[in-house]
Amino acid sequence: MPLWIVIGVAAAIFVLVIVLAATFNVFSAESAEETEAAWVPLPHDFTPEELDGLSFRPALRGYRMEDVDEAMRVLRTRIHELEAARGPQ
């Protein structure tokens, strides 16, 4: 078997192992339970300080979508409330 085929298969297996390890947070210093517990969603009546401290749990390709969706829902609701309280201009 040619050497380049062996090297190609070894490289593909290496990449697959790295991707799987990253998916299961093998490279993280935190355990899965610590990562799950670390995220605190915005409360409905958040303050600017809470918004400044907002952070999301990392995922393989960015942040966890459900965390971002929840934060966006709270922000959208609060913006609508503030606009309604301000009244028409």
Side-chain angles (χ1 to χ4, degrees):
M1 183 180 308
L3 182 61
W4 63 271
I5 293 176
V6 173
I7 293 172
V9 170
I13 291 172
F14 177 76
V15 169
L16 180 62
V17 167
I18 295 297
V19 168
L20 287 174
T23 302
F24 293 106
N25 289 328
V26 171
F27 301 122
S28 175
E30 300 175 327
S31 68
E33 293 80 22
E34 289 172 331
T35 302
E36 292 295 323
W39 189 71
V40 178
L42 278 174
H44 179 69
D45 55 342
F46 61 89
T47 63
E49 291 79 23
E50 290 171 322
L51 188 57
D52 289 341
L54 179 64
S55 63
F56 301 106
R57 296 175 293 177
L60 183 59
R61 297 170 117 188
Y63 297 103
R64 295 190 183 198
M65 204 175 267
E66 63 270 14
D67 296 351
V68 177
D69 290 343
E70 174 64 18
M72 292 304 296
R73 185 191 63 73
V74 170
L75 288 168
R76 189 178 304 110
T77 301
R78 183 73 173 139
I79 289 170
H80 286 304
E81 289 173 355
L82 293 172
E83 287 177 344
R86 185 175 66 180
Q89 291 185 350

